[in-house]
């Protein structure tokens, strides 16, 4: 009897740790010594530093290369001596917003319950910031909802997953938090990373404040964590590694907070509030919800890029970042050759 009770206590304790530490969710029901598997999807601004952050997390000392459409790698981590390793399936979406539809490949029904999303935005290009966040999160959200609605394993029924999404909102902000009715937590754990802080810190003070407050608002609204990084700062890259590791392996992410616009931001999910973010007169604006309201404020300072300037490239073969001189010249020659039908003589009625 004591052994049985002890086993039940171990299982209960493991489930509580899974909730508090962000471990494998349903995996907590399994053997405490079994390895967990999680999926982390990286997306964001084109050439915004996603690969650099991913390589730093994997502790790989190699030069980053442009991501071709959608790339996959994985990471492993042992919990202790002689125990199975936890596995993190890592997907990186290239092309900025142009290939957003490809999220349907990594975001699938079997993996949606252990999914996390990392969204990297380029701080050096504020005019593209809101559009990048809006389109990519919409694409990811649509696919998460679609995957959640599909038949899943018995333990991952749609009802169970829906309850998980609701409880996630409760865990981010307590019941008594004044912002609970004003935010819309993303259905899976989300991390916002502002890259290229080394360029951003040279912006005018007022512009830095607008960008910082906007990203703080977006992170708070979606129940996400927010950090700023620079590939030239080991301190910020180490912080990014810690937050990504929390999503991938359930490790401790730290609870320090920094909201000074002159320094790299660090705001763990649930550690901010609208009263601390908002200091502008937005009462005169009209919008359907706080998200639309803040979008209007931001676009007053940073008008969005025009459609022509930000034309979406659906064919990666024509993207200049993937150019290969030898292959491109051969393709150009092929395109100049007229079709076979053009070379054949055409019969006339007199013939």
């Amino acid at each position: 009897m004591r052994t049985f009770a002890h086993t039940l206590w171990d299982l209960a304790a493991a489930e509580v740790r899974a909730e508090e530490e962000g471990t494998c969710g349903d995996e907590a029901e399994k053997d405490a010594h079994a390895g967990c598997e999680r999926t982390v999807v990286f997306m964001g601004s084109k050439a915004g530093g996603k690969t650099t952050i991913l390589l730093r997390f994997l502790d790989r000392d190699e030069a980053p290369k442009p991501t071709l459409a959608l790339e996959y790698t994985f990471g492993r981590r042992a919990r202790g001596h002689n125990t199975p390793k936890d596995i993190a399936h890592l997907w990186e979406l290239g092309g900025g917003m142009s290939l957003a539809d490809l999220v349907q490949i990594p975001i699938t029904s079997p993996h949606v319950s252990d999914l996390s999303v990392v969204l990297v935005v380029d701080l050096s290009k504020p005019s593209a910031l809101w559009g990048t966040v809006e389109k990519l999160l919409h694409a990811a959200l649509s696919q998460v909802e679609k995957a959640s609605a599909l038949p899943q394993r018995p333990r991952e029924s749609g009802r169970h997953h829906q309850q998980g999404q609701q409880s996630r909102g409760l865990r981010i902000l307590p019941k008594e938090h004044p912002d609970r009715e004003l935010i819309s937590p993303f259905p899976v754990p989300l991390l916002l990373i502002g890259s290229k802080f080394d360029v951003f810190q040279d912006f005018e003070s007022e512009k830095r404040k607008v960008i910082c407050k906007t990203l703080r608002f977006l992170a708070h609204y979606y129940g996400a964590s927010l950090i700023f990084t620079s590939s030239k700062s080991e301190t910020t890259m180490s912080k990014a590694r810690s937050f990504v590791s929390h999503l991938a392996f359930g490790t401790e992410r730290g609870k320090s907070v920094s909201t000074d616009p002159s320094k790299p931001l660090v705001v763990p999910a649930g550690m901010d509030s609208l009263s601390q973010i908002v200091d502008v007169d937005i009462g005169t604006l009209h919008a359907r919800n706080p998200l639309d309201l803040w979008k209007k404020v931001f676009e007053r300072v940073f008008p969005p890029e025009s459609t022509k300037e930000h034309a979406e490239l659906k064919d990666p073969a024509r993207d200049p970042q993937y150019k290969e001189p030898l292959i491109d010249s051969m393709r150009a020659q092929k395109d100049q050759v007229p079709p076979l039908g053009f070379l054949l003589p055409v019969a006339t009625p007199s013939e």
Side-chain angles (χ1 to χ4, degrees), residues 97 126-136 138 182 210-211 213-219 221-222 274 277-278 280-283 285-305 307:
M97 295 182 283
S127 294
L129 187 152
W130 193 282
T132 298
V133 173
E134 189 173 52
K135 174 153 188 179
L136 290 178
H138 179 267
L182 298 174
V210 172
I211 295 171
K213 290 184 178 294
T214 297
L215 285 173
R216 283 177 63 190
F217 168 77
L218 287 170
Y221 182 81
Y222 287 114
L274 292 177
I277 299 171
V278 180
V280 294
D281 182 14
I282 59 175
L285 295 176
H286 300 282
R288 292 172 296 175
N289 55 49
L291 198 64
D292 293 335
L293 199 64
W294 200 274
K295 180 179 180 179
K296 290 184 177 182
V297 173
F298 183 76
E299 291 184 345
R300 282 183 175 180
V301 182
F302 300 104
E305 296 178 339
T307 306

Side-chain angles (χ1 to χ4, degrees), residues 107-110 112 142-152:
I107 302 178
T108 59
S109 178
V112 73
S142 297
Q143 185 57 28
V144 167
E145 292 176 341
K146 187 184 299 183
S148 300
L150 294 175
Q152 300 175 11

Side-chain angles (χ1 to χ4, degrees), residues 121-127 129 193-216 226-232 236 258-266 298 301-302:
V121 292
D122 188 342
L123 295 175
S124 70
K125 299 177 180 178
S127 294
L129 187 152
I193 300 180
S195 64
K196 303 186 181 180
F197 177 79
D198 53 304
V199 178
F200 167 81
Q201 65 183 351
D202 292 331
F203 284 10
E204 296 175 9
S205 175
E206 289 306 310
K207 290 186 175 181
R208 287 203 312 270
K209 289 180 180 179
V210 172
I211 295 171
C212 286
K213 290 184 178 294
T214 297
L215 285 173
R216 283 177 63 190
L226 170 66
I227 57 173
F228 282 5
T229 66
S230 167
S231 60
K232 299 179 180 179
T236 62
S258 174
T259 58
D260 185 344
S262 65
K263 300 177 181 178
L265 296 188
V266 180
F298 183 76
V301 182
F302 300 104

Side-chain angles (χ1 to χ4, degrees), residues 3 23 33 44 59 67 73 93 104-105 129 169 182 191 194 206 218 221 255 306 314 317 347 349:
T3 302
T23 51
H33 296 292
D59 202 19
T67 303
T73 187
L93 178 69
Q104 62 185 302
I105 296 175
L129 187 152
L182 298 174
L191 170 61
E206 289 306 310
L218 287 170
Y221 182 81
K255 296 181 180 179
S306 67
K314 292 296 184 182

Side-chain angles (χ1 to χ4, degrees), residues 231-273:
S231 60
K232 299 179 180 179
S233 167
E234 179 58 29
T235 301
T236 62
M237 294 303 290
S238 179
K239 181 67 69 173
R241 187 175 190 267
S242 173
F243 273 76
V244 173
S245 181
H246 174 71
L247 298 178
F249 298 120
T251 57
E252 180 61 47
R253 69 182 178 190
K255 296 181 180 179
S256 61
V257 178
S258 174
T259 58
D260 185 344
S262 65
K263 300 177 181 178
L265 296 188
V266 180
V267 188
M271 302 289 283
D272 215 339
S273 67

Side-chain angles (χ1 to χ4, degrees), residues 158-173 180 185-188:
R159 181 180 177 185
H160 179 277
H161 185 69
Q162 186 177 14
Q163 291 174 345
Q165 293 179 17
Q166 294 171 349
S167 65
R168 180 174 182 269
L170 292 173
R171 289 199 302 272
I172 293 171
L173 294 181
R180 235 171 60 82
F186 204 68
V188 300

